[in-house]
Amino acid sequence: MKNFVFTCLAVCALSGQVIAQELTPISLRAPRTSGGTTILEAFLHRQSTRVYTPEMLSEQELSDLLWAANGINRPESQKRTAPSALNYQDVDIYVCLEKGAYRYDAIGNCLNPIVAEDLRPLVANGQDFVTSAPVVLVLTSDLSKMRGGDTESNRLIGAMDAGIVSENISIACAGLGLATVPRATMDKETLAQKLKLKSTQILLLNHPVGHK
Ligand SMILES: Cc1cc2nc3c(=O)[nH]c(=O)nc-3n(C[C@H](O)[C@H](O)[C@H](O)COP(=O)(O)O)c2cc1C
């Protein structure tokens, strides 16, 4: 009997742990389409910042930032705030939080869970300040969305498309009073596995984001 009770308690504890480790999708707020500084003030304040307070972004800030980065701004055509070559829409944004990593779904305006693990140290890859950012955005390009697939010129196009999303992030942060830095450094091999990337998705840039 004692053994039975112990086994039951162990199973409960274990299943509780499993549940705690599970991530659920996060619905984002409707993005604001006004607010922040003027566009010229945002350019005035754009800079790389590598020190952040531990304060999490508010739900509204995260939603506004992702929408500005690469959200849908013309629902009728599902086109984005960032242009992409031939409208390939090849860039995906992964959102790394302490509790786990998610993929931004621009159409659903939500974050879909990928893994319940803090991947920020893999993004940091030696630059420890990255792990102090409450949000780390990772940009990939999916070459399978391009005519011709994995070619040198499509890799270049992917890098350009991700660069434009990156600049949207930098300007949005400047305009919203947030701090960020564009980075190419990251442990790409391990991140590709942990983020469950397709073989056609290439890791290009990342952005730690926090408050100043
Ligand atoms: C493509 C690219 C890759 C970068 N990679 C890193 C990086 O890995 N780590 C880092 O600390 N900064 C990185 N930076 C930020 C630059 O160091 C920074 O933009 C530059 O020093 C100019 O400073 P500013 O952004 O404040 O004007 C990168 C910038 C770009 C555009």
Side-chain angles (χ1 to χ4, degrees), residues 46-50 127 129 166 181-186 205:
R46 205 276 327 149
Q47 62 175 306
S48 292
T49 304
R50 297 178 179 83
Q127 286 196 297
F129 72 85
S166 166
V181 53
R183 297 177 65 252
T185 308
M186 58 189 135
L205 287 166

Side-chain angles (χ1 to χ4, degrees), residues 22-74:
E22 276 174 11
L23 296 179
T24 51
I26 298 176
S27 296
L28 294 166
R29 288 183 174 224
R32 293 180 303 161
T33 49
S34 65
T37 66
T38 67
I39 188 72
L40 294 179
E41 283 164 345
F43 278 106
L44 181 66
H45 296 302
R46 205 276 327 149
Q47 62 175 306
S48 292
T49 304
R50 297 178 179 83
V51 180
Y52 318 100
T53 70
E55 186 196 346
M56 181 55 188
L57 269 60
S58 70
E59 288 180 15
Q60 193 65 59
E61 283 172 329
L62 185 59
S63 165
D64 293 350
L65 177 63
L66 290 167
W67 178 76
N70 201 20
I72 308 261
N73 65 355
R74 286 153 291 168

Side-chain angles (χ1 to χ4, degrees), residues 141-146 149-151 154-155 158 200-202:
S141 167
D142 186 352
L143 304 174
S144 72
K145 294 199 173 159
M146 302 179 194
D150 189 351
T151 63
N154 279 345
R155 282 180 173 253
T200 52
Q201 277 179 291
I202 53 172

Side-chain angles (χ1 to χ4, degrees), residues 1-211:
M1 182 63 183
K2 238 185 198 174
N3 275 351
F4 175 74
V5 172
F6 176 77
T7 310
C8 286
L9 284 175
V11 168
C12 286
L14 207 63
S15 57
Q17 218 175 15
V18 169
I19 288 166
Q21 281 169 3
E22 276 174 11
L23 296 179
T24 51
I26 298 176
S27 296
L28 294 166
R29 288 183 174 224
R32 293 180 303 161
T33 49
S34 65
T37 66
T38 67
I39 188 72
L40 294 179
E41 283 164 345
F43 278 106
L44 181 66
H45 296 302
R46 205 276 327 149
Q47 62 175 306
S48 292
T49 304
R50 297 178 179 83
V51 180
Y52 318 100
T53 70
E55 186 196 346
M56 181 55 188
L57 269 60
S58 70
E59 288 180 15
Q60 193 65 59
E61 283 172 329
L62 185 59
S63 165
D64 293 350
L65 177 63
L66 290 167
W67 178 76
N70 201 20
I72 308 261
N73 65 355
R74 286 153 291 168
E76 64 287 356
S77 60
Q78 296 202 339
K79 286 188 170 178
R80 308 293 190 103
T81 52
S84 58
L86 287 168
N87 191 30
Y88 282 143
Q89 301 196 6
D90 51 298
V91 176
D92 276 306
I93 303 179
Y94 290 83
V95 180
C96 300
L97 310 176
E98 187 179 16
K99 64 182 171 182
Y102 299 78
R103 194 166 85 138
Y104 174 50
D105 173 353
I107 297 171
N109 195 37
C110 62
L111 299 179
N112 290 320
I114 304 290
V115 61
E117 186 180 335
D118 186 358
L119 301 185
R120 295 174 303 168
L122 292 173
V123 184
N125 203 22
Q127 286 196 297
D128 288 346
F129 72 85
V130 175
T131 58
S132 71
V135 174
V136 177
L137 305 180
V138 175
L139 310 184
T140 65
S141 167
D142 186 352
L143 304 174
S144 72
K145 294 199 173 159
M146 302 179 194
R147 199 176 311 136
D150 189 351
T151 63
E152 202 179 319
S153 67
N154 279 345
R155 282 180 173 253
L156 189 59
I157 284 174
M160 289 190 273
D161 287 347
I164 292 170
V165 172
S166 166
E167 186 62 358
N168 276 11
I169 293 169
S170 288
I171 298 301
C173 283
L176 294 170
L178 298 170
T180 193
V181 53
R183 297 177 65 252
T185 308
M186 58 189 135
D187 178 348
K188 289 188 181 177
E189 207 179 314
T190 319
L191 267 177
Q193 287 168 15
K194 298 277 184 183
L195 289 172
K196 301 173 186 157
L197 299 187
K198 297 190 284 178
S199 60
T200 52
Q201 277 179 291
I202 53 172
L203 283 154
L204 290 162
L205 287 166
N206 63 77
H207 276 261
V209 182
H211 293 100

